[in-house]
Amino acid sequence: MYMETVDEFEPALDFPRHMEMSPRCVEWGDLMRGYQVPAPEARAGDWWADMDEVFDLETQHRHMVQNERDQHRHMVQSKRDGGGGGDDGEDGGDIDDAASGRS
């Protein structure tokens, strides 16, 4: 199971509190334990083990979008500065050039 919590979450205190408030969760947990084994790094008696996050899809997506924006900005600025930047093998002329009267 993967779970994100608030910084104040303390598993040793908060899981038992939750279980006390919800007998249905206790029933579900008992049922699911038959399909699970503790992680090898779990301490004796612990069912859950902390893990380090190795990948976050949302962060990855934000980085990809930002990189695309940066590349686009660089390409547009390069064309405005007369550096071309196009991949068509020409001198960089495009719609911006036509609109400004340059050729």
Side-chain angles (χ1 to χ4, degrees), residues 51-67:
M51 59 184 257
D52 293 327
E53 185 174 276
V54 295
F55 184 81
D56 178 356
L57 188 58
E58 290 179 19
T59 299
Q60 180 70 18
H61 182 258
R62 278 194 302 274
H63 285 282
M64 289 174 55
V65 168
Q66 186 61 48
N67 286 341

Side-chain angles (χ1 to χ4, degrees), residues 51-102:
M51 59 184 257
D52 293 327
E53 185 174 276
V54 295
F55 184 81
D56 178 356
L57 188 58
E58 290 179 19
T59 299
Q60 180 70 18
H61 182 258
R62 278 194 302 274
H63 285 282
M64 289 174 55
V65 168
Q66 186 61 48
N67 286 341
E68 288 175 7
R69 286 180 184 155
D70 291 346
Q71 289 174 357
H72 178 73
R73 222 174 283 135
H74 175 73
M75 182 181 69
V76 168
Q77 187 63 43
S78 178
K79 286 183 177 185
R80 286 183 182 149
D81 293 343
D87 59 359
D88 56 6
E90 296 182 9
D91 66 350
D94 62 5
I95 295 173
D96 290 339
D97 292 342
S100 67
R102 295 180 297 186

